[in-house]
Amino acid sequence: MTEVGTITLTDNVTGKTLTLPLLEGSTGPRVVDIRKLYAATGYFTYDPGFTSTAACDSAITYIDGDEGVLLHRGYAIADLADNCDFLEVCHLLLNGELPNAEEKVDFARTITYHTMVHEQLARFYSGFRRDAHPMAIMCGVVGALSSFYHDSTDIFDPVQRKIAAHRLIAKMPTMAAMAYKYTAGQPFMYPRNDLSYAENFLYMTFGTPCEPYKVNPILSKAMEKIFILHADHEQNASTSTVRLAGSSHANPFACIASGIAALWGPAHGGANEAVLKMLEEIGSVERIPEFIARAKDKNDSFRLMGFGHRVYKNYDPRAKIMRETCYEVLGTLGIKDEPHLAIAMELEKIALSDPYFVEKKLYPNVDFYSGIILKAMGFPTSMFTVLFAVARTVGWISQWKEMIEDPAQKIGRPRQLFTGHPARDFVPLDKR
């Protein structure tokens, strides 16, 4: 970042002025450096949700919501989704550059041979109820990794940081598939080193010991796309949680577990699950006009899930890719008369043509299409957020690594605007 000027603030109460540096990154809005604001004025800033506050500088992901731009290390998400597999994108996020041919082979081999989990970790699953939500299981088992891998918890050792990153990326699909198998009452399937990352996940999730499982190449390709499109998304709620947890120098496994907990919320990673619940509520194509009218009514609490995005005020750049993948998957599986999918397709048609949605730029987003794809592939809705966590792990660990290696970072300590009682005298019990 570069100082490109200053901004002067005037305190209209005292008449004093304060000059603050104006910083500029490689792209995006300029930033007012307020690090000395409190020391100079005794004032804090007030920004609920941190919607106008940069808590860090980062070189990993850039989003321009107004223009519908998403870049990873400078590369457009569409280029990565069309030309790379997921592990290439993992290498890019972690190391800053796409791998060459030799690096790609080495990285894929490293991840592949880290996919197995300690056999004792498998016993952790039996401690959960059979009907436990898979995200509850993931919070527990990912945090428990720190009790198995003491050789990669020294966050100040770059070699151990690297090993921890590789372990998390490799083992997350294994643990996610085990969470599914446990709730389904099926035996765990061990990873296979002859399969790709996405193929392995589908095999461990849907394969059984009873018969050979053949991975459908269209479905594994779709899984790769879903993983790539969810790999990182700048400073969102779960990523910021990982950074905040990491700022206390917690071990990386605990930090990723905290990210999973934040992702679980329906306002974040649970959005595609919410899409399916909305489709269930609508029930039939004939009832769509009723719900469209409710969505337009400011006094009605009903919301169309999967339309619009807090960040993107234009079309979500991931949605176009996911839309193409959606139709490819539905065509491959021959799904035409599934009620929820019929509702979804009609909603999409309306949203892309209805003046109300077009004017407000309420386009279908990535969650809308990913929910449809995952349902068509056979995933229960409870697994949707788990798949999000599998994909986002590389983004979390890349952001965590960047934060640990940044000498300017400090332990997170947000301020508050206190609105409670000021100091008051204590009243004894017999006088209250």
Side-chain angles (χ1 to χ4, degrees), residues 13-26:
V13 176
T14 65
K16 293 181 179 179
T17 61
L18 175 66
T19 300
L20 297 171
L22 192 60
L23 307 178
E24 186 174 61
S26 56

Side-chain angles (χ1 to χ4, degrees), residues 151-171:
D151 61 340
S152 57
T153 55
D154 182 354
I155 65 172
F156 299 109
D157 182 342
V159 175
Q160 291 198 31
R161 289 199 299 269
K162 185 176 182 179
I163 293 172
H166 291 167
R167 280 176 170 160
L168 280 160
I169 294 168
K171 298 179 191 305

Side-chain angles (χ1 to χ4, degrees), residues 35 57 129 151 247 264 278 285 288 352 361 421:
R35 283 176 287 184
D57 59 88
R129 285 174 52 120
D151 61 340
S247 73
W264 194 356
M278 175 195 71
V285 172
I288 288 178
L352 294 175
K361 298 183 178 180
H421 284 289

Side-chain angles (χ1 to χ4, degrees), residues 54-264:
C56 65
D57 59 88
S58 178
I60 298 173
T61 298
Y62 173 72
I63 297 171
D64 185 334
D66 293 332
E67 298 298 324
V69 171
L70 171 59
L71 306 177
H72 290 323
R73 303 287 191 180
Y75 294 104
I77 188 63
D79 290 337
L80 295 175
D82 289 341
N83 300 290
C84 297
D85 61 32
F86 180 62
L87 289 185
E88 285 181 90
V89 176
C90 288
H91 188 283
L92 172 68
L93 293 172
L94 270 177
N95 303 306
E97 296 293 343
L98 287 167
N100 59 32
E102 183 179 352
E103 289 169 337
K104 180 180 178 179
V105 171
D106 288 344
F107 186 73
R109 183 186 298 114
T110 297
I111 299 302
T112 298
Y113 284 90
H114 272 100
T115 51
M116 285 188 66
V117 297
H118 198 288
E119 194 64 19
Q120 286 184 332
L121 186 70
R123 300 176 190 171
F124 278 47
Y125 287 78
S126 62
F128 293 94
R129 285 174 52 120
R130 281 290 178 188
D131 58 354
H133 195 289
M135 282 295 279
I137 296 174
M138 293 299 288
C139 286
V141 294
V142 172
L145 287 176
S146 58
S147 66
F148 287 89
Y149 301 111
H150 302 294
D151 61 340
S152 57
T153 55
D154 182 354
I155 65 172
F156 299 109
D157 182 342
V159 175
Q160 291 198 31
R161 289 199 299 269
K162 185 176 182 179
I163 293 172
H166 291 167
R167 280 176 170 160
L168 280 160
I169 294 168
K171 298 179 191 305
M172 194 64 71
T174 306
M175 293 184 293
M178 290 168 71
Y180 169 76
K181 288 296 192 184
Y182 182 73
T183 56
Q186 296 180 4
F188 297 150
M189 298 293 287
Y190 289 93
R192 281 172 41 187
N193 293 342
D194 62 321
L195 298 177
S196 71
Y197 193 89
E199 290 172 339
N200 217 349
F201 176 66
L202 292 173
Y203 163 74
M204 291 187 291
T205 302
F206 296 119
T208 67
C210 306
E211 58 187 357
Y213 177 78
K214 185 176 181 180
V215 180
N216 185 314
I218 300 298
L219 300 189
S220 64
K221 179 184 175 184
M223 200 78 259
E224 290 273 2
K225 292 281 182 74
I226 289 173
F227 285 159
I228 290 172
L229 297 179
H230 290 85
D232 193 54
H233 209 236
E234 211 208 70
Q235 307 307 315
N236 52 78
S238 58
T239 299
S240 297
T241 298
V242 170
R243 278 183 171 263
L244 190 61
S247 73
S248 71
H249 296 165
N251 71 75
F253 305 106
C255 294
I256 299 306
S258 74
I260 292 172
L263 185 69
W264 194 356

Side-chain angles (χ1 to χ4, degrees), residues 389-405:
V390 172
R392 185 54 57 86
T393 294
V394 65
W396 289 333
I397 201 66
S398 299
Q399 298 271 354
W400 171 84
K401 177 176 174 287
E402 182 181 62
M403 181 205 64
I404 294 298
E405 295 171 355

Side-chain angles (χ1 to χ4, degrees), residues 30-51:
R30 291 178 173 180
V31 176
V32 180
D33 185 349
I34 61 168
R35 283 176 287 184
K36 296 182 180 179
L37 179 67
Y38 177 62
T41 66
Y43 298 156
F44 297 145
T45 57
Y46 182 62
D47 184 20
F50 307 109
T51 57

